[in-house]
Amino acid sequence: MESILEFILNLVGLMVGTTCGIITYNGFNKIGSPSLLRLAIAFFSIGVGFMIMLLKNIDTQIQENEIEQVIQIAGVSFQTVGYFFIAFSHIIKSFFAIKKYFSIVLPIFLITVSNIENIIRSVSFILLIYGSIETILSYLEKKTRRVILIALGLLSLAFGEFLSWYQLIFPESIFYNTAIILKIIGLILLFLPIAKIRFSFNKSLS
């Protein structure tokens, strides 16, 4: 069951990341917005990360080889870079706050991790939580439906990342399956507002 859910998650992640990357990059070419360029980099990076994980799921030789952990780390790293660029605008806006936030929270997570992959996942979780909180605050100011969808998507990805840690304590438990489902929901929620942006571009050019 887990392998099927992981395959679906990685496939959806690849599709959403690539599609959103293309949409935002096309938008950047049309209006030259740096924000859209950052989003394009973010989604392409997320797509590459899920593609690497998908190849790992498909290739049984990789699964039986010691290189599996290296590939896993590479996939998670690309996803984390994507999450960083999604939160980048908020980080720049409040650099000192995020610096303080990392110095307080990061050591708490480092105590509980035992390898590089889990450290990277810790950073992903922090970035996703920070990005979702800042996006919710932005929604409270603008009351835009697109913004709340992005916030909910980031929150869903964050809690999915958090629950996936329980696999280390309770292997093959319902927590991990729930984590994968939350991540799939989060990716879909992120895709919806980006697809709306594409519609807006097409409408403005028609």
Side-chain angles (χ1 to χ4, degrees):
M1 180 64 177
E2 282 187 9
S3 59
I4 296 174
L5 285 174
E6 283 180 356
F7 177 82
I8 294 173
L9 168 64
N10 294 326
L11 182 60
V12 171
L14 172 60
M15 294 172 62
V16 169
T18 304
T19 304
C20 290
I22 292 171
I23 292 172
T24 50
Y25 184 74
N26 288 339
F28 166 72
N29 282 335
K30 291 172 183 176
I31 66 175
S33 170
S35 296
L36 288 176
L37 178 59
R38 287 195 295 267
L39 281 177
I41 295 172
F43 283 115
F44 277 129
S45 182
I46 290 171
V48 170
F50 280 110
M51 180 183 69
I52 293 172
M53 306 288 276
L54 184 63
L55 291 175
K56 183 181 74 72
N57 286 136
I58 295 174
D59 195 331
T60 54
Q61 291 183 347
I62 292 178
Q63 295 174 11
E64 298 172 357
N65 198 301
E66 293 180 357
I67 200 173
E68 178 186 6
Q69 188 65 31
V70 176
I71 294 175
Q72 180 89 3
I73 291 172
V76 173
S77 298
F78 272 102
Q79 292 175 34
T80 302
V81 169
Y83 299 145
F84 169 79
F85 275 101
I86 287 177
F88 184 78
S89 297
H90 297 309
I91 292 172
I92 292 298
K93 185 173 63 177
S94 52
F95 173 75
F96 294 104
I98 189 66
K99 184 177 179 181
K100 182 178 178 182
Y101 180 79
F102 266 91
S103 64
I104 294 174
V105 178
L106 189 57
I108 296 175
F109 289 98
L110 291 179
I111 292 172
T112 63
V113 297
S114 58
N115 54 46
I116 296 175
E117 179 187 346
N118 290 323
I119 293 174
I120 296 171
R121 288 187 180 277
S122 300
V123 176
S124 292
F125 174 75
I126 293 171
L127 287 170
L128 287 166
I129 285 292
Y130 178 78
S132 61
I133 291 172
E134 290 292 339
T135 307
I136 290 172
L137 293 176
S138 177
Y139 168 76
L140 294 176
E141 293 177 2
K142 301 177 182 178
K143 303 294 183 180
T144 306
R145 183 180 177 184
R146 176 173 60 85
V147 175
I148 195 62
L149 284 176
I150 293 173
L152 291 174
L154 292 174
L155 273 176
S156 185
L157 285 169
F159 283 111
E161 201 69 65
F162 180 79
L163 287 179
S164 66
W165 289 341
Y166 278 85
Q167 185 191 26
L168 301 174
I169 305 173
F170 306 108
E172 300 181 1
S173 67
I174 192 174
F175 290 110
Y176 189 62
N177 292 338
T178 305
I180 295 176
I181 293 171
L182 282 172
K183 289 181 182 180
I184 293 173
I185 294 171
L187 289 167
I188 293 172
L189 288 172
L190 283 179
F191 173 76
L192 293 175
I194 300 299
K196 189 174 180 180
I197 289 176
R198 182 184 181 185
F199 175 76
S200 299
F201 284 144
N202 294 336
K203 187 176 179 181
S204 62
L205 293 174
S206 61

Coordinates of all heavy atoms in Angstrom, one line a residue, residues 22-75:
I22 N 6.3 25.5 -15.7 CA 6.1 26.0 -17.1 C 5.2 27.2 -17.1 O 5.4 28.2 -17.7 CB 5.5 24.9 -17.9 CG1 6.6 23.8 -18.2 CG2 5.1 25.4 -19.3 CD1 6.0 22.5 -18.8
I23 N 4.1 27.1 -16.3 CA 3.1 28.2 -16.2 C 3.7 29.5 -15.7 O 3.6 30.6 -16.3 CB 1.9 27.8 -15.4 CG1 1.1 26.7 -16.1 CG2 1.0 29.1 -15.1 CD1 0.0 26.1 -15.2
T24 N 4.4 29.4 -14.6 CA 5.0 30.5 -14.0 C 6.2 31.1 -14.8 O 6.4 32.3 -14.8 CB 5.5 30.2 -12.5 OG1 6.3 29.0 -12.5 CG2 4.4 30.0 -11.6
Y25 N 6.9 30.2 -15.5 CA 8.0 30.7 -16.3 C 7.5 31.5 -17.5 O 8.0 32.5 -17.9 CB 8.9 29.6 -16.8 CG 10.1 30.0 -17.6 CD1 11.2 30.7 -16.9 CD2 10.1 29.9 -19.0 CE1 12.3 31.1 -17.7 CE2 11.2 30.3 -19.7 CZ 12.3 30.9 -19.1 OH 13.4 31.4 -19.8
N26 N 6.4 30.9 -18.1 CA 5.7 31.6 -19.2 C 5.2 33.0 -18.8 O 5.3 34.0 -19.5 CB 4.6 30.8 -19.8 CG 5.1 29.6 -20.6 OD1 6.2 29.6 -21.0 ND2 4.3 28.6 -20.7
G27 N 4.7 33.0 -17.5 CA 4.2 34.3 -17.0 C 5.4 35.3 -16.8 O 5.2 36.5 -17.0
F28 N 6.5 34.7 -16.3 CA 7.7 35.6 -16.2 C 8.1 36.2 -17.5 O 8.5 37.4 -17.6 CB 8.8 34.8 -15.6 CG 10.2 35.5 -15.7 CD1 10.5 36.6 -14.9 CD2 11.1 35.0 -16.5 CE1 11.7 37.2 -15.0 CE2 12.4 35.6 -16.7 CZ 12.7 36.7 -15.9
N29 N 8.1 35.4 -18.6 CA 8.5 35.9 -19.9 C 7.6 37.0 -20.4 O 8.0 37.8 -21.2 CB 8.5 34.7 -20.9 CG 9.7 33.8 -20.8 OD1 10.8 34.3 -20.3 ND2 9.6 32.6 -21.2
K30 N 6.3 36.9 -20.0 CA 5.3 37.9 -20.5 C 5.3 39.2 -19.7 O 5.2 40.2 -20.3 CB 3.9 37.2 -20.4 CG 3.7 36.1 -21.4 CD 2.4 35.4 -21.2 CE 2.2 34.2 -22.1 NZ 0.9 33.5 -21.9
I31 N 5.5 39.1 -18.4 CA 5.5 40.3 -17.6 C 6.8 40.7 -16.8 O 6.9 41.7 -16.3 CB 4.3 40.3 -16.6 CG1 4.5 39.2 -15.5 CG2 3.0 40.0 -17.3 CD1 3.5 39.2 -14.4
G32 N 7.7 39.7 -16.9 CA 9.0 40.0 -16.3 C 9.0 40.1 -14.8 O 9.9 40.8 -14.2
S33 N 8.1 39.5 -14.1 CA 8.0 39.6 -12.6 C 9.1 38.7 -11.9 O 9.1 37.5 -12.2 CB 6.6 39.2 -12.1 OG 6.6 39.1 -10.7
P34 N 9.9 39.2 -11.1 CA 10.9 38.4 -10.3 C 10.2 37.3 -9.5 O 10.7 36.3 -9.3 CB 11.6 39.4 -9.5 CG 11.5 40.7 -10.2 CD 10.1 40.7 -10.8
S35 N 9.0 37.7 -8.9 CA 8.3 36.7 -8.1 C 7.9 35.5 -8.9 O 8.0 34.3 -8.4 CB 7.0 37.3 -7.6 OG 7.3 38.4 -6.7
L36 N 7.5 35.7 -10.2 CA 7.2 34.5 -11.0 C 8.4 33.7 -11.4 O 8.3 32.5 -11.5 CB 6.5 35.0 -12.3 CG 5.0 35.5 -12.1 CD1 4.5 36.0 -13.4 CD2 4.1 34.4 -11.6
L37 N 9.5 34.4 -11.5 CA 10.8 33.6 -11.8 C 11.2 32.8 -10.6 O 11.6 31.6 -10.8 CB 11.9 34.6 -12.1 CG 13.3 34.0 -12.4 CD1 13.2 33.0 -13.5 CD2 14.3 35.1 -12.6
R38 N 11.0 33.3 -9.4 CA 11.3 32.5 -8.2 C 10.4 31.4 -8.1 O 10.8 30.2 -7.7 CB 11.2 33.4 -6.9 CG 12.3 34.4 -6.8 CD 12.4 35.0 -5.4 NE 11.2 35.8 -5.1 CZ 11.1 37.1 -5.3 NH1 12.2 37.7 -5.8 NH2 10.1 37.8 -5.0
L39 N 9.1 31.6 -8.4 CA 8.1 30.5 -8.4 C 8.5 29.4 -9.4 O 8.3 28.2 -9.2 CB 6.7 31.0 -8.6 CG 6.0 31.6 -7.4 CD1 4.7 32.2 -7.8 CD2 5.9 30.6 -6.3
A40 N 8.9 29.9 -10.6 CA 9.3 28.9 -11.6 C 10.5 28.0 -11.2 O 10.4 26.8 -11.3 CB 9.7 29.7 -12.9
I41 N 11.5 28.7 -10.6 CA 12.6 27.9 -10.0 C 12.2 26.9 -9.0 O 12.6 25.8 -8.9 CB 13.7 28.9 -9.5 CG1 14.3 29.7 -10.6 CG2 14.8 28.1 -8.8 CD1 15.2 30.8 -10.1
A42 N 11.3 27.4 -8.1 CA 10.7 26.6 -7.0 C 10.0 25.4 -7.5 O 10.3 24.2 -7.1 CB 9.8 27.4 -6.1
F43 N 9.1 25.6 -8.5 CA 8.3 24.4 -8.9 C 9.1 23.5 -9.8 O 8.9 22.2 -9.7 CB 7.1 24.9 -9.7 CG 6.0 25.4 -8.8 CD1 5.6 26.8 -8.8 CD2 5.4 24.6 -7.9 CE1 4.6 27.2 -7.9 CE2 4.4 25.0 -7.0 CZ 4.0 26.3 -7.1
F44 N 10.0 24.0 -10.6 CA 10.9 23.1 -11.4 C 11.8 22.3 -10.4 O 12.0 21.1 -10.7 CB 11.8 23.9 -12.3 CG 11.1 24.3 -13.6 CD1 11.1 25.6 -14.1 CD2 10.5 23.3 -14.4 CE1 10.5 25.9 -15.3 CE2 9.8 23.6 -15.6 CZ 9.8 24.9 -16.0
S45 N 12.3 22.9 -9.4 CA 13.1 22.2 -8.4 C 12.3 21.1 -7.7 O 12.7 19.9 -7.5 CB 13.7 23.1 -7.4 OG 14.5 22.5 -6.5
I46 N 11.0 21.4 -7.3 CA 10.2 20.4 -6.7 C 9.9 19.3 -7.6 O 9.9 18.1 -7.3 CB 8.8 21.1 -6.2 CG1 9.1 22.1 -5.0 CG2 7.8 20.1 -5.8 CD1 8.0 22.9 -4.6
G47 N 9.6 19.6 -8.9 CA 9.3 18.6 -9.9 C 10.5 17.7 -10.1 O 10.3 16.4 -10.2
V48 N 11.7 18.2 -10.1 CA 13.0 17.4 -10.3 C 13.1 16.5 -9.1 O 13.4 15.3 -9.2 CB 14.2 18.3 -10.4 CG1 15.5 17.5 -10.3 CG2 14.2 19.0 -11.8
G49 N 12.8 17.0 -7.9 CA 12.9 16.2 -6.7 C 12.0 15.0 -6.7 O 12.4 13.9 -6.4
F50 N 10.7 15.3 -7.1 CA 9.8 14.2 -7.2 C 10.1 13.2 -8.3 O 9.8 12.0 -8.2 CB 8.4 14.7 -7.3 CG 7.7 15.2 -6.0 CD1 7.5 16.5 -5.8 CD2 7.4 14.2 -5.0 CE1 7.0 16.9 -4.6 CE2 6.8 14.6 -3.8 CZ 6.6 16.0 -3.6
M51 N 10.7 13.7 -9.4 CA 11.1 12.8 -10.5 C 12.2 11.9 -10.0 O 12.1 10.7 -10.4 CB 11.6 13.7 -11.7 CG 12.1 12.9 -12.9 SD 12.7 13.9 -14.2 CE 14.3 14.4 -13.4
I52 N 13.2 12.4 -9.3 CA 14.2 11.5 -8.7 C 13.6 10.4 -7.9 O 14.0 9.2 -8.0 CB 15.2 12.4 -8.0 CG1 16.0 13.3 -8.9 CG2 16.2 11.4 -7.2 CD1 16.9 14.3 -8.2
M53 N 12.7 10.8 -7.0 CA 12.0 9.8 -6.1 C 11.2 8.8 -6.9 O 11.1 7.6 -6.6 CB 11.1 10.6 -5.1 CG 11.8 11.7 -4.3 SD 13.0 11.0 -3.1 CE 11.9 10.7 -1.7
L54 N 10.6 9.3 -8.0 CA 9.8 8.4 -8.8 C 10.6 7.4 -9.5 O 10.3 6.2 -9.6 CB 9.0 9.2 -9.9 CG 8.1 8.5 -10.8 CD1 6.9 7.8 -10.0 CD2 7.5 9.4 -11.9
L55 N 11.8 7.8 -10.0 CA 12.7 6.9 -10.6 C 13.2 5.8 -9.6 O 13.4 4.7 -10.0 CB 13.9 7.6 -11.2 CG 13.6 8.5 -12.4 CD1 14.9 9.3 -12.8 CD2 13.1 7.7 -13.6
K56 N 13.4 6.3 -8.4 CA 13.8 5.3 -7.4 C 12.7 4.3 -7.1 O 13.0 3.1 -6.9 CB 14.1 6.1 -6.1 CG 14.6 5.2 -4.9 CD 14.8 6.0 -3.7 CE 13.5 6.4 -3.0 NZ 12.8 5.3 -2.4
N57 N 11.4 4.7 -7.2 CA 10.3 3.8 -7.0 C 10.2 2.8 -8.1 O 9.9 1.6 -7.9 CB 9.0 4.6 -6.9 CG 8.8 5.3 -5.6 OD1 8.4 6.4 -5.5 ND2 9.2 4.6 -4.5
I58 N 10.5 3.2 -9.3 CA 10.3 2.4 -10.5 C 11.5 1.4 -10.7 O 11.2 0.2 -11.0 CB 10.2 3.3 -11.8 CG1 8.9 4.1 -11.7 CG2 10.2 2.4 -13.0 CD1 8.8 5.1 -12.8
D59 N 12.7 1.9 -10.5 CA 13.9 1.1 -10.7 C 14.2 0.2 -9.5 O 14.6 0.6 -8.5 CB 15.1 2.0 -11.0 CG 16.3 1.2 -11.6 OD1 16.4 0.0 -11.3 OD2 17.0 1.8 -12.4
T60 N 13.9 -1.1 -9.7 CA 14.1 -2.1 -8.6 C 15.6 -2.2 -8.3 O 16.0 -2.6 -7.2 CB 13.5 -3.4 -8.9 OG1 14.0 -3.9 -10.2 CG2 12.0 -3.3 -9.0
Q61 N 16.5 -2.0 -9.3 CA 17.9 -2.2 -9.1 C 18.4 -1.1 -8.1 O 19.3 -1.3 -7.3 CB 18.7 -2.0 -10.4 CG 18.4 -3.3 -11.3 CD 19.3 -3.2 -12.6 OE1 19.8 -2.1 -12.9 NE2 19.3 -4.3 -13.3
I62 N 17.8 0.1 -8.2 CA 18.2 1.2 -7.3 C 17.8 0.8 -5.9 O 18.5 1.1 -4.9 CB 17.6 2.5 -7.7 CG1 18.2 3.0 -9.0 CG2 17.7 3.6 -6.7 CD1 17.6 4.3 -9.6
Q63 N 16.6 0.3 -5.8 CA 16.0 -0.1 -4.4 C 16.9 -1.1 -3.7 O 16.9 -1.1 -2.5 CB 14.6 -0.6 -4.6 CG 13.6 0.5 -5.1 CD 12.2 -0.1 -5.3 OE1 12.0 -1.2 -4.9 NE2 11.4 0.7 -6.0
E64 N 17.6 -2.0 -4.5 CA 18.4 -3.0 -3.9 C 19.9 -2.6 -3.8 O 20.7 -3.4 -3.4 CB 18.3 -4.3 -4.7 CG 16.8 -4.8 -4.8 CD 16.7 -6.0 -5.8 OE1 17.7 -6.3 -6.5 OE2 15.6 -6.5 -5.9
N65 N 20.2 -1.4 -4.1 CA 21.6 -0.9 -4.1 C 21.8 0.1 -3.0 O 20.9 0.7 -2.5 CB 21.8 -0.2 -5.5 CG 23.3 -0.1 -5.7 OD1 24.0 0.5 -5.0 ND2 23.8 -0.7 -6.8
E66 N 23.1 0.2 -2.6 CA 23.4 1.1 -1.5 C 23.2 2.6 -1.9 O 23.1 3.5 -1.1 CB 24.9 0.9 -1.1 CG 25.1 -0.5 -0.4 CD 26.5 -0.7 0.0 OE1 27.3 0.2 -0.3 OE2 26.8 -1.7 0.7
I67 N 23.1 2.8 -3.2 CA 23.0 4.2 -3.7 C 21.6 4.7 -3.5 O 21.3 5.9 -3.6 CB 23.3 4.3 -5.2 CG1 23.7 5.7 -5.6 CG2 22.2 3.7 -6.1 CD1 24.2 5.8 -7.0
E68 N 20.7 3.9 -3.0 CA 19.3 4.3 -2.8 C 19.2 5.5 -1.8 O 18.5 6.4 -2.1 CB 18.4 3.1 -2.2 CG 17.0 3.5 -1.9 CD 16.2 2.4 -1.3 OE1 16.8 1.4 -0.9 OE2 15.0 2.6 -1.1
Q69 N 20.0 5.4 -0.8 CA 19.9 6.5 0.2 C 20.4 7.8 -0.4 O 19.9 8.9 -0.1 CB 20.8 6.1 1.5 CG 20.7 7.1 2.6 CD 19.3 7.1 3.2 OE1 18.6 6.1 3.2 NE2 18.8 8.2 3.8
V70 N 21.5 7.7 -1.2 CA 22.0 8.9 -1.8 C 21.0 9.6 -2.8 O 20.8 10.8 -2.8 CB 23.3 8.6 -2.7 CG1 23.8 9.8 -3.4 CG2 24.4 8.0 -1.7
I71 N 20.3 8.7 -3.5 CA 19.2 9.2 -4.4 C 18.1 9.8 -3.6 O 17.5 10.8 -4.0 CB 18.7 8.1 -5.4 CG1 19.9 7.6 -6.3 CG2 17.5 8.5 -6.2 CD1 19.5 6.4 -7.1
Q72 N 17.7 9.2 -2.5 CA 16.7 9.7 -1.7 C 17.0 11.1 -1.2 O 16.2 12.0 -1.2 CB 16.5 8.7 -0.5 CG 15.4 9.1 0.5 CD 14.0 8.6 0.1 OE1 13.9 7.9 -0.8 NE2 13.0 9.0 0.9
I73 N 18.3 11.2 -0.7 CA 18.7 12.5 -0.2 C 18.7 13.6 -1.3 O 18.3 14.7 -1.1 CB 20.1 12.4 0.4 CG1 20.1 11.6 1.7 CG2 20.7 13.8 0.7 CD1 21.5 11.3 2.2
A74 N 19.1 13.2 -2.5 CA 19.1 14.1 -3.7 C 17.7 14.6 -4.0 O 17.4 15.8 -4.2 CB 19.7 13.5 -4.9
G75 N 16.7 13.7 -4.0 CA 15.3 14.0 -4.2 C 14.8 15.0 -3.2 O 14.1 16.0 -3.5

